[in-house]
Coordinates of all heavy atoms in Angstrom, one line a residue:
M1 N -1.9 0.0 31.1 CA -0.8 0.8 30.5 C 0.4 0.9 31.4 O 1.5 0.8 31.0 CB -1.4 2.1 30.0 CG -0.4 2.9 29.3 SD -0.5 2.7 27.5 CE -1.6 4.1 27.2
K2 N 0.1 1.2 32.7 CA 1.2 1.3 33.6 C 2.0 0.1 33.8 O 3.2 0.1 33.9 CB 0.5 1.7 35.0 CG 1.5 2.1 36.1 CD 2.0 3.4 35.9 CE 2.7 3.9 37.2 NZ 3.5 5.0 37.0
K3 N 1.3 -1.1 33.8 CA 2.0 -2.4 33.9 C 2.9 -2.6 32.7 O 4.0 -3.2 32.8 CB 1.0 -3.5 34.1 CG 0.3 -3.4 35.4 CD -0.4 -4.7 35.7 CE -1.2 -4.6 36.9 NZ -0.6 -5.2 38.1
I4 N 2.5 -2.2 31.5 CA 3.3 -2.4 30.3 C 4.6 -1.6 30.4 O 5.6 -2.0 30.1 CB 2.5 -2.0 29.0 CG1 1.4 -3.0 28.8 CG2 3.4 -1.9 27.8 CD1 0.5 -2.7 27.6
E5 N 4.4 -0.3 30.9 CA 5.6 0.6 31.0 C 6.5 0.0 32.1 O 7.8 0.1 31.9 CB 5.1 2.0 31.4 CG 4.4 2.7 30.3 CD 3.9 4.1 30.7 OE1 4.1 4.4 31.9 OE2 3.4 4.8 29.9
E6 N 6.0 -0.6 33.1 CA 6.9 -1.2 34.1 C 7.5 -2.5 33.6 O 8.7 -2.7 33.8 CB 6.1 -1.5 35.4 CG 5.7 -0.3 36.1 CD 4.7 -0.6 37.3 OE1 4.4 -1.8 37.6 OE2 4.2 0.4 37.9
F7 N 6.8 -3.3 32.9 CA 7.3 -4.6 32.5 C 8.5 -4.4 31.5 O 9.5 -5.1 31.6 CB 6.2 -5.4 31.8 CG 6.7 -6.8 31.3 CD1 6.8 -7.8 32.2 CD2 7.0 -7.0 29.9 CE1 7.3 -9.1 31.7 CE2 7.4 -8.2 29.5 CZ 7.6 -9.3 30.4
F8 N 8.3 -3.5 30.5 CA 9.3 -3.2 29.5 C 10.3 -2.1 29.9 O 11.2 -1.8 29.1 CB 8.7 -2.9 28.2 CG 8.0 -4.1 27.5 CD1 6.6 -4.1 27.4 CD2 8.7 -5.1 27.0 CE1 6.0 -5.2 26.8 CE2 8.1 -6.2 26.4 CZ 6.7 -6.2 26.4
R9 N 10.2 -1.6 31.1 CA 11.0 -0.5 31.6 C 11.2 0.6 30.6 O 12.3 1.0 30.3 CB 12.4 -1.2 32.0 CG 12.3 -2.2 33.1 CD 13.6 -2.7 33.5 NE 14.2 -3.4 32.4 CZ 14.6 -4.7 32.4 NH1 14.5 -5.3 33.6 NH2 15.1 -5.3 31.4
L10 N 10.1 1.1 30.2 CA 10.1 2.1 29.1 C 10.8 3.4 29.6 O 11.6 4.0 28.9 CB 8.7 2.4 28.6 CG 8.0 1.3 27.9 CD1 6.6 1.7 27.5 CD2 8.8 0.7 26.8
K11 N 10.5 3.9 30.8 CA 11.1 5.1 31.3 C 12.6 4.9 31.5 O 13.4 5.8 31.2 CB 10.5 5.5 32.7 CG 9.1 6.0 32.5 CD 8.6 6.7 33.7 CE 7.1 6.9 33.7 NZ 6.7 8.1 33.0
E12 N 13.1 3.8 31.9 CA 14.5 3.5 32.1 C 15.2 3.6 30.7 O 16.4 4.0 30.7 CB 14.7 2.0 32.6 CG 14.9 1.9 34.0 CD 15.2 0.4 34.4 OE1 16.0 -0.2 33.8 OE2 14.4 0.0 35.3
N13 N 14.5 3.2 29.7 CA 15.1 3.2 28.3 C 14.8 4.5 27.6 O 15.1 4.6 26.4 CB 14.5 2.0 27.5 CG 15.0 0.7 28.1 OD1 16.2 0.5 28.5 ND2 14.1 -0.3 28.2
G14 N 14.3 5.5 28.3 CA 14.1 6.8 27.7 C 13.0 6.8 26.6 O 13.2 7.6 25.6
T15 N 11.9 6.1 26.7 CA 10.9 6.1 25.7 C 9.5 6.0 26.4 O 9.4 6.0 27.7 CB 11.0 4.9 24.8 OG1 10.1 5.0 23.7 CG2 10.9 3.6 25.5
N16 N 8.4 6.0 25.7 CA 7.1 5.9 26.2 C 6.3 5.0 25.4 O 6.7 4.5 24.3 CB 6.4 7.3 26.4 CG 6.3 8.0 25.1 OD1 6.1 7.4 24.1 ND2 6.6 9.3 25.2
F17 N 5.1 4.7 25.8 CA 4.2 3.7 25.1 C 3.9 4.1 23.7 O 3.9 3.3 22.8 CB 2.9 3.4 25.9 CG 2.0 2.4 25.3 CD1 2.3 1.1 25.4 CD2 0.9 2.8 24.6 CE1 1.5 0.1 24.8 CE2 0.1 1.9 24.0 CZ 0.4 0.6 24.1
S18 N 3.5 5.4 23.5 CA 3.1 5.8 22.2 C 4.2 5.8 21.2 O 4.0 5.4 20.0 CB 2.5 7.2 22.2 OG 3.4 8.2 22.7
T19 N 5.4 6.1 21.6 CA 6.6 6.0 20.7 C 6.8 4.6 20.3 O 7.1 4.3 19.2 CB 7.8 6.6 21.4 OG1 7.6 7.9 21.8 CG2 9.1 6.5 20.6
E20 N 6.8 3.7 21.3 CA 7.0 2.3 21.0 C 5.9 1.7 20.1 O 6.1 0.9 19.2 CB 7.1 1.5 22.3 CG 8.3 1.8 23.1 CD 9.6 1.5 22.3 OE1 9.7 0.4 21.7 OE2 10.5 2.4 22.3
L21 N 4.6 2.2 20.3 CA 3.5 1.7 19.4 C 3.7 2.1 18.0 O 3.6 1.3 17.1 CB 2.2 2.2 20.0 CG 1.0 1.8 19.2 CD1 0.8 0.3 19.3 CD2 -0.3 2.5 19.7
I22 N 4.1 3.4 17.8 CA 4.4 3.9 16.4 C 5.6 3.2 15.8 O 5.5 2.8 14.6 CB 4.6 5.4 16.5 CG1 3.3 6.1 16.8 CG2 5.1 5.9 15.1 CD1 3.4 7.6 17.1
A23 N 6.6 2.9 16.6 CA 7.8 2.2 16.1 C 7.4 0.8 15.7 O 7.9 0.3 14.7 CB 8.9 2.2 17.1
G24 N 6.6 0.1 16.5 CA 6.2 -1.2 16.2 C 5.3 -1.3 14.9 O 5.5 -2.2 14.1
L25 N 4.4 -0.4 14.8 CA 3.6 -0.4 13.6 C 4.4 -0.1 12.3 O 4.2 -0.7 11.3 CB 2.4 0.7 13.7 CG 1.3 0.3 14.7 CD1 0.4 1.4 14.9 CD2 0.6 -0.9 14.2
S26 N 5.3 0.9 12.5 CA 6.2 1.2 11.3 C 7.1 0.0 10.9 O 7.2 -0.3 9.7 CB 7.2 2.3 11.7 OG 6.5 3.4 12.1
T27 N 7.6 -0.7 11.9 CA 8.4 -1.9 11.6 C 7.5 -3.0 11.0 O 7.9 -3.7 10.0 CB 9.0 -2.5 12.9 OG1 9.8 -1.5 13.5 CG2 9.8 -3.7 12.7
F28 N 6.3 -3.2 11.5 CA 5.4 -4.2 10.9 C 5.1 -3.9 9.4 O 5.2 -4.7 8.6 CB 4.1 -4.3 11.7 CG 3.1 -5.1 11.0 CD1 3.1 -6.5 11.0 CD2 2.0 -4.5 10.2 CE1 2.2 -7.3 10.3 CE2 1.1 -5.3 9.6 CZ 1.2 -6.7 9.6
F29 N 4.8 -2.6 9.1 CA 4.5 -2.3 7.7 C 5.7 -2.3 6.8 O 5.6 -2.7 5.7 CB 3.8 -0.9 7.7 CG 2.4 -1.0 8.1 CD1 2.0 -0.2 9.2 CD2 1.4 -1.8 7.6 CE1 0.6 -0.3 9.7 CE2 0.1 -1.9 8.0 CZ -0.3 -1.1 9.1
A30 N 6.9 -2.0 7.4 CA 8.1 -2.1 6.6 C 8.4 -3.6 6.3 O 9.0 -3.9 5.2 CB 9.2 -1.5 7.3
M31 N 8.1 -4.5 7.2 CA 8.5 -5.9 7.0 C 7.3 -6.8 6.5 O 7.5 -7.9 6.2 CB 8.9 -6.5 8.4 CG 10.2 -6.0 8.9 SD 10.7 -6.7 10.4 CE 10.6 -8.5 10.0
S32 N 6.2 -6.2 6.3 CA 5.0 -7.1 6.0 C 5.1 -7.6 4.5 O 4.4 -8.6 4.2 CB 3.7 -6.3 6.1 OG 3.7 -5.2 5.3
Y33 N 6.0 -7.1 3.7 CA 6.2 -7.7 2.4 C 6.5 -9.2 2.4 O 6.2 -9.9 1.6 CB 7.2 -6.9 1.6 CG 8.6 -7.2 2.0 CD1 9.4 -8.2 1.4 CD2 9.2 -6.5 3.1 CE1 10.6 -8.5 1.8 CE2 10.5 -6.8 3.5 CZ 11.2 -7.8 2.9 OH 12.5 -8.1 3.3
I34 N 7.2 -9.6 3.5 CA 7.7 -11.0 3.6 C 6.5 -11.9 3.7 O 6.6 -13.1 3.2 CB 8.6 -11.1 4.9 CG1 9.3 -12.5 4.9 CG2 7.8 -11.0 6.1 CD1 10.5 -12.5 4.1
I35 N 5.4 -11.4 4.2 CA 4.2 -12.3 4.3 C 3.7 -12.8 2.9 O 3.2 -13.9 2.8 CB 3.1 -11.6 5.0 CG1 3.5 -11.3 6.5 CG2 1.8 -12.4 5.0 CD1 2.5 -10.4 7.2
F36 N 3.9 -12.0 1.9 CA 3.5 -12.3 0.5 C 4.6 -12.8 -0.4 O 4.4 -13.6 -1.2 CB 2.7 -11.1 -0.1 CG 1.6 -10.6 0.8 CD1 1.7 -9.5 1.6 CD2 0.4 -11.3 0.8 CE1 0.7 -9.1 2.4 CE2 -0.6 -10.9 1.6 CZ -0.5 -9.8 2.4
V37 N 5.8 -12.2 -0.2 CA 6.9 -12.6 -1.1 C 7.4 -14.0 -0.8 O 7.7 -14.7 -1.7 CB 8.0 -11.5 -1.0 CG1 9.2 -11.9 -1.9 CG2 7.5 -10.2 -1.5
N38 N 7.6 -14.3 0.5 CA 8.1 -15.6 0.9 C 7.3 -16.7 0.3 O 7.9 -17.6 -0.3 CB 8.2 -15.6 2.4 CG 9.0 -16.8 2.9 OD1 10.0 -17.2 2.3 ND2 8.5 -17.4 3.9
P39 N 6.0 -16.8 0.5 CA 5.2 -17.8 -0.1 C 5.3 -17.8 -1.6 O 5.2 -18.9 -2.3 CB 3.8 -17.6 0.4 CG 3.9 -16.7 1.5 CD 5.1 -15.9 1.4
G40 N 5.4 -16.6 -2.2 CA 5.4 -16.5 -3.7 C 6.7 -17.2 -4.2 O 6.7 -17.9 -5.2
I41 N 7.8 -17.1 -3.5 CA 9.1 -17.7 -3.9 C 9.0 -19.2 -3.7 O 9.3 -20.0 -4.5 CB 10.3 -17.0 -3.2 CG1 10.5 -15.6 -3.8 CG2 11.5 -17.9 -3.4 CD1 11.6 -14.8 -3.1
L42 N 8.7 -19.6 -2.4 CA 8.7 -21.0 -2.1 C 7.7 -21.8 -2.7 O 7.8 -23.0 -2.9 CB 8.7 -21.1 -0.5 CG 10.0 -20.6 0.2 CD1 9.8 -20.7 1.7 CD2 11.2 -21.4 -0.3
S43 N 6.5 -21.2 -3.1 CA 5.5 -22.0 -3.8 C 6.0 -22.5 -5.2 O 5.4 -23.4 -5.7 CB 4.2 -21.2 -3.9 OG 4.4 -20.1 -4.7
Q44 N 7.0 -21.8 -5.7 CA 7.5 -22.3 -7.0 C 8.2 -23.6 -6.9 O 8.4 -24.3 -7.9 CB 8.5 -21.2 -7.6 CG 7.8 -19.9 -7.9 CD 8.8 -18.9 -8.3 OE1 9.9 -19.2 -8.8 NE2 8.5 -17.6 -8.2
T45 N 8.5 -24.0 -5.7 CA 9.2 -25.3 -5.5 C 8.2 -26.5 -5.4 O 8.6 -27.6 -5.3 CB 10.1 -25.3 -4.2 OG1 9.2 -25.2 -3.1 CG2 11.1 -24.2 -4.3
G46 N 6.9 -26.1 -5.4 CA 5.9 -27.1 -5.2 C 5.2 -27.1 -3.8 O 4.3 -27.9 -3.6
M47 N 5.8 -26.3 -2.9 CA 5.1 -26.1 -1.6 C 3.8 -25.4 -1.8 O 3.7 -24.5 -2.6 CB 6.0 -25.3 -0.7 CG 7.3 -26.0 -0.3 SD 8.3 -24.9 0.8 CE 9.9 -25.7 0.7
P48 N 2.8 -25.7 -1.0 CA 1.5 -25.0 -1.1 C 1.6 -23.6 -0.6 O 2.2 -23.4 0.5 CB 0.6 -25.9 -0.2 CG 1.5 -26.6 0.7 CD 2.8 -26.8 0.0
Y49 N 1.1 -22.7 -1.4 CA 1.2 -21.2 -1.0 C 0.6 -20.9 0.3 O 1.2 -20.2 1.1 CB 0.5 -20.4 -2.1 CG 0.6 -18.9 -1.9 CD1 1.7 -18.2 -2.5 CD2 -0.3 -18.2 -1.2 CE1 1.8 -16.8 -2.4 CE2 -0.2 -16.8 -1.0 CZ 0.9 -16.2 -1.6 OH 1.0 -14.8 -1.4
Q50 N -0.6 -21.5 0.6 CA -1.3 -21.2 1.8 C -0.5 -21.7 3.0 O -0.4 -21.1 4.1 CB -2.7 -21.8 1.9 CG -3.6 -21.2 0.9 CD -3.5 -21.9 -0.5 OE1 -2.7 -22.8 -0.8 NE2 -4.3 -21.4 -1.5
G51 N 0.1 -22.9 2.9 CA 0.9 -23.5 4.0 C 2.2 -22.6 4.3 O 2.5 -22.4 5.5
V52 N 2.8 -22.2 3.2 CA 4.0 -21.3 3.5 C 3.6 -20.0 4.0 O 4.3 -19.4 4.9 CB 4.8 -21.2 2.1 CG1 6.0 -20.2 2.3 CG2 5.3 -22.5 1.6
F53 N 2.5 -19.5 3.6 CA 2.0 -18.2 4.1 C 1.7 -18.3 5.6 O 2.2 -17.5 6.4 CB 0.7 -17.8 3.3 CG 0.0 -16.6 3.8 CD1 0.4 -15.3 3.3 CD2 -1.0 -16.6 4.8 CE1 -0.2 -14.2 3.8 CE2 -1.6 -15.4 5.3 CZ -1.2 -14.2 4.7
L54 N 1.0 -19.4 6.0 CA 0.7 -19.6 7.4 C 2.0 -19.8 8.2 O 2.1 -19.2 9.3 CB -0.2 -20.7 7.6 CG -0.9 -20.9 8.9 CD1 -1.7 -19.7 9.3 CD2 -1.8 -22.2 8.9
A55 N 2.9 -20.6 7.7 CA 4.2 -20.8 8.4 C 5.0 -19.5 8.6 O 5.6 -19.3 9.6 CB 5.0 -21.9 7.7
T56 N 5.0 -18.7 7.6 CA 5.7 -17.4 7.7 C 5.1 -16.5 8.7 O 5.8 -15.9 9.5 CB 5.7 -16.7 6.3 OG1 6.3 -17.5 5.3 CG2 6.4 -15.4 6.3
V57 N 3.7 -16.4 8.7 CA 3.0 -15.5 9.7 C 3.3 -16.1 11.1 O 3.6 -15.3 12.0 CB 1.5 -15.5 9.4 CG1 0.8 -14.8 10.5 CG2 1.3 -14.7 8.1
I58 N 3.1 -17.4 11.3 CA 3.2 -17.9 12.7 C 4.7 -17.8 13.2 O 4.9 -17.4 14.3 CB 2.7 -19.4 12.7 CG1 1.2 -19.4 12.5 CG2 3.1 -20.1 14.0 CD1 0.7 -20.8 12.3
S59 N 5.6 -18.2 12.3 CA 7.0 -18.2 12.8 C 7.5 -16.7 13.0 O 8.2 -16.5 14.0 CB 8.0 -18.9 11.8 OG 8.0 -18.2 10.5
S60 N 7.1 -15.8 12.2 CA 7.5 -14.4 12.4 C 6.9 -13.8 13.7 O 7.5 -13.2 14.5 CB 7.1 -13.5 11.2 OG 7.7 -14.0 10.0
G61 N 5.6 -14.1 13.8 CA 4.9 -13.6 15.0 C 5.5 -14.2 16.3 O 5.7 -13.4 17.3
L62 N 5.7 -15.5 16.4 CA 6.2 -16.1 17.6 C 7.6 -15.7 17.9 O 8.0 -15.4 19.0 CB 6.1 -17.6 17.5 CG 4.8 -18.3 17.6 CD1 4.8 -19.8 17.4 CD2 4.2 -18.0 19.0
A63 N 8.5 -15.6 16.9 CA 9.8 -15.2 17.1 C 9.9 -13.7 17.6 O 10.7 -13.4 18.5 CB 10.6 -15.3 15.8
T64 N 9.1 -12.9 17.0 CA 9.1 -11.5 17.5 C 8.5 -11.4 18.9 O 9.1 -10.6 19.7 CB 8.3 -10.6 16.5 OG1 8.9 -10.7 15.2 CG2 8.2 -9.2 16.9
L65 N 7.5 -12.1 19.2 CA 6.9 -12.1 20.6 C 7.9 -12.6 21.6 O 8.1 -12.0 22.6 CB 5.7 -13.0 20.6 CG 4.4 -12.3 20.5 CD1 3.2 -13.3 20.4 CD2 4.1 -11.4 21.6
F66 N 8.6 -13.7 21.3 CA 9.6 -14.3 22.2 C 10.7 -13.3 22.5 O 11.1 -13.2 23.6 CB 10.1 -15.6 21.7 CG 9.1 -16.8 21.9 CD1 9.0 -17.8 21.0 CD2 8.3 -16.9 23.1 CE1 8.1 -18.8 21.2 CE2 7.5 -17.9 23.3 CZ 7.3 -18.9 22.3
I67 N 11.3 -12.7 21.4 CA 12.4 -11.9 21.7 C 12.0 -10.6 22.4 O 12.7 -10.1 23.2 CB 13.2 -11.6 20.4 CG1 14.6 -11.1 20.7 CG2 12.4 -10.5 19.5 CD1 15.5 -11.2 19.5
G68 N 10.8 -10.1 22.2 CA 10.3 -9.0 22.9 C 10.0 -9.2 24.3 O 10.3 -8.4 25.2
L69 N 9.4 -10.4 24.6 CA 9.0 -10.7 26.0 C 10.1 -11.2 26.8 O 10.2 -10.9 28.0 CB 7.8 -11.7 26.0 CG 6.5 -11.2 25.4 CD1 5.5 -12.3 25.3 CD2 5.9 -10.0 26.2
F70 N 11.0 -12.0 26.3 CA 12.0 -12.7 27.1 C 13.3 -11.9 27.1 O 14.0 -11.9 28.1 CB 12.2 -14.1 26.7 CG 11.0 -15.0 26.9 CD1 10.2 -15.5 25.9 CD2 10.5 -15.2 28.2 CE1 9.1 -16.3 26.1 CE2 9.4 -15.9 28.4 CZ 8.7 -16.5 27.4
A71 N 13.7 -11.3 26.0 CA 15.0 -10.6 25.9 C 14.8 -9.1 26.1 O 15.7 -8.4 26.3 CB 15.6 -10.8 24.6
N72 N 13.5 -8.6 26.0 CA 13.2 -7.2 26.2 C 14.0 -6.3 25.2 O 14.5 -5.3 25.6 CB 13.4 -6.8 27.6 CG 12.7 -5.4 27.9 OD1 11.8 -5.0 27.2 ND2 13.1 -4.8 28.9
V73 N 14.1 -6.7 24.0 CA 14.7 -5.9 22.9 C 13.7 -5.7 21.8 O 12.9 -6.6 21.5 CB 16.0 -6.5 22.4 CG1 17.1 -6.5 23.4 CG2 15.8 -8.0 21.9
P74 N 13.7 -4.6 21.1 CA 12.7 -4.3 20.1 C 13.1 -4.8 18.7 O 13.3 -4.0 17.8 CB 12.6 -2.7 20.1 CG 14.0 -2.3 20.5 CD 14.5 -3.4 21.5
Y75 N 13.3 -6.1 18.6 CA 13.7 -6.6 17.3 C 12.5 -7.4 16.7 O 11.8 -8.0 17.4 CB 14.8 -7.6 17.4 CG 16.1 -7.0 18.0 CD1 17.0 -7.8 18.7 CD2 16.5 -5.7 17.8 CE1 18.2 -7.3 19.2 CE2 17.6 -5.2 18.3 CZ 18.5 -6.0 19.0 OH 19.6 -5.5 19.5
A76 N 12.4 -7.3 15.4 CA 11.4 -8.0 14.7 C 12.1 -9.1 13.9 O 13.1 -8.8 13.2 CB 10.5 -7.1 13.8
L77 N 11.6 -10.3 13.9 CA 12.3 -11.4 13.2 C 11.4 -12.0 12.2 O 10.2 -12.2 12.5 CB 12.7 -12.5 14.3 CG 13.7 -12.0 15.4 CD1 13.8 -13.1 16.4 CD2 15.0 -11.7 14.8
A78 N 11.9 -12.4 11.1 CA 11.2 -13.0 10.0 C 12.2 -13.8 9.1 O 13.4 -13.6 9.2 CB 10.5 -12.0 9.1
P79 N 11.7 -14.7 8.3 CA 12.5 -15.5 7.4 C 13.4 -14.6 6.5 O 12.9 -13.6 6.1 CB 11.6 -16.4 6.6 CG 10.3 -16.4 7.4 CD 10.3 -15.1 8.1
G80 N 14.6 -15.0 6.2 CA 15.4 -14.3 5.3 C 15.2 -14.6 3.9 O 15.0 -15.7 3.5
M81 N 15.1 -13.6 3.1 CA 14.7 -13.7 1.7 C 15.9 -14.4 0.9 O 15.7 -15.1 0.0 CB 14.4 -12.4 1.0 CG 13.1 -11.8 1.6 SD 11.7 -12.9 1.5 CE 11.6 -13.2 -0.2
G82 N 17.1 -14.1 1.3 CA 18.3 -14.6 0.6 C 18.3 -16.1 0.6 O 18.6 -16.8 -0.4
L83 N 18.1 -16.7 1.8 CA 18.2 -18.1 1.9 C 17.0 -18.8 1.2 O 17.2 -19.8 0.6 CB 18.2 -18.5 3.4 CG 18.5 -20.0 3.7 CD1 19.8 -20.4 3.1 CD2 18.5 -20.2 5.2
N84 N 15.9 -18.2 1.2 CA 14.7 -18.7 0.5 C 14.9 -18.7 -1.0 O 14.6 -19.6 -1.7 CB 13.4 -18.0 0.9 CG 13.0 -18.2 2.3 OD1 13.4 -19.2 2.9 ND2 12.3 -17.2 2.8
A85 N 15.5 -17.6 -1.5 CA 15.8 -17.5 -2.9 C 16.8 -18.5 -3.3 O 16.7 -19.1 -4.4 CB 16.2 -16.1 -3.3
F86 N 17.9 -18.6 -2.5 CA 18.9 -19.6 -2.8 C 18.3 -21.0 -2.9 O 18.6 -21.8 -3.8 CB 20.0 -19.5 -1.7 CG 21.0 -20.6 -1.8 CD1 22.0 -20.6 -2.8 CD2 21.0 -21.7 -1.0 CE1 23.0 -21.6 -2.9 CE2 21.9 -22.8 -1.1 CZ 22.9 -22.7 -2.1
F87 N 17.5 -21.4 -1.9 CA 16.9 -22.7 -1.9 C 16.1 -22.9 -3.1 O 16.2 -24.0 -3.8 CB 16.1 -22.9 -0.6 CG 15.3 -24.1 -0.6 CD1 15.9 -25.3 -0.3 CD2 13.9 -24.2 -0.8 CE1 15.2 -26.5 -0.3 CE2 13.2 -25.4 -0.8 CZ 13.9 -26.5 -0.5
T88 N 15.2 -22.0 -3.5 CA 14.3 -22.2 -4.6 C 15.1 -22.2 -5.9 O 14.9 -23.1 -6.7 CB 13.3 -21.0 -4.6 OG1 12.5 -21.1 -3.4 CG2 12.3 -21.2 -5.8
Y89 N 15.9 -21.2 -6.2 CA 16.4 -21.0 -7.5 C 17.8 -21.8 -7.7 O 18.1 -22.1 -8.9 CB 16.6 -19.5 -7.9 CG 15.3 -18.8 -7.8 CD1 15.1 -17.8 -6.8 CD2 14.3 -19.1 -8.6 CE1 13.9 -17.1 -6.8 CE2 13.0 -18.5 -8.6 CZ 12.9 -17.5 -7.6 OH 11.7 -16.8 -7.5
T90 N 18.5 -22.1 -6.7 CA 19.7 -22.8 -6.8 C 19.6 -24.3 -6.5 O 19.9 -25.2 -7.3 CB 20.8 -22.2 -6.0 OG1 20.9 -20.8 -6.3 CG2 22.2 -22.9 -6.2
V91 N 19.1 -24.6 -5.3 CA 19.0 -26.0 -4.9 C 17.9 -26.7 -5.6 O 18.1 -27.8 -6.2 CB 18.7 -26.0 -3.4 CG1 18.5 -27.5 -2.9 CG2 19.9 -25.4 -2.6
V92 N 16.7 -26.2 -5.7 CA 15.6 -26.9 -6.3 C 15.6 -26.9 -7.8 O 15.5 -27.9 -8.5 CB 14.2 -26.4 -5.8 CG1 13.0 -27.0 -6.5 CG2 14.1 -26.6 -4.3
F93 N 15.9 -25.7 -8.4 CA 15.8 -25.6 -9.9 C 17.1 -26.2 -10.6 O 17.1 -26.3 -11.8 CB 15.6 -24.2 -10.3 CG 14.1 -23.7 -10.0 CD1 13.8 -22.4 -10.1 CD2 13.1 -24.6 -9.8 CE1 12.5 -21.9 -9.8 CE2 11.8 -24.2 -9.6 CZ 11.5 -22.9 -9.6
S94 N 18.1 -26.5 -9.8 CA 19.3 -27.0 -10.5 C 19.5 -28.5 -10.2 O 19.2 -29.4 -10.8 CB 20.6 -26.3 -10.0 OG 20.8 -26.5 -8.7

């Protein structure tokens, strides 16, 4: 726990581990809809639901890990719904 606080410089940033843990869990639950909605939209184009589901989970997880570990900022990254909806309903269906 001490190493985590030192690595992310939590005291410097005026926070602690438990606050960051609660914030991370809150962010995950607020954004977790993307895990199910994104494959639901893109599977209408003929893409396999399971493949899009796995790609969404892996890309979101890796992007969030990289930005947290390398940039040391508390951002969560996931695919944008607007672009996915545009692709499905405008590009593919028209």
Side-chain angles (χ1 to χ4, degrees):
M1 183 93 91
K2 186 80 166 164
K3 292 193 185 259
I4 291 174
E5 288 178 356
E6 291 171 5
F7 181 79
F8 290 110
R9 297 181 296 235
L10 297 180
K11 288 195 193 276
E12 263 181 53
N13 294 316
T15 187
N16 58 38
F17 181 77
S18 62
T19 300
E20 293 301 312
L21 182 65
I22 291 169
L25 288 173
S26 304
T27 302
F28 171 77
F29 287 120
M31 290 181 57
S32 63
Y33 75 93
I34 191 83
I35 296 171
F36 303 102
V37 176
N38 189 40
I41 290 175
L42 290 176
S43 66
Q44 295 176 25
T45 66
M47 295 180 193
Y49 184 92
Q50 295 85 358
V52 176
F53 178 87
L54 190 59
T56 302
V57 170
I58 291 171
S59 64
S60 300
L62 285 177
T64 301
L65 264 173
F66 283 142
I67 199 161
L69 293 174
F70 295 114
N72 196 20
V73 291
Y75 299 151
L77 301 171
M81 294 305 302
L83 191 56
N84 293 336
F86 171 77
F87 174 75
T88 300
Y89 301 116
T90 305
V91 174
V92 174
F93 287 164
S94 65

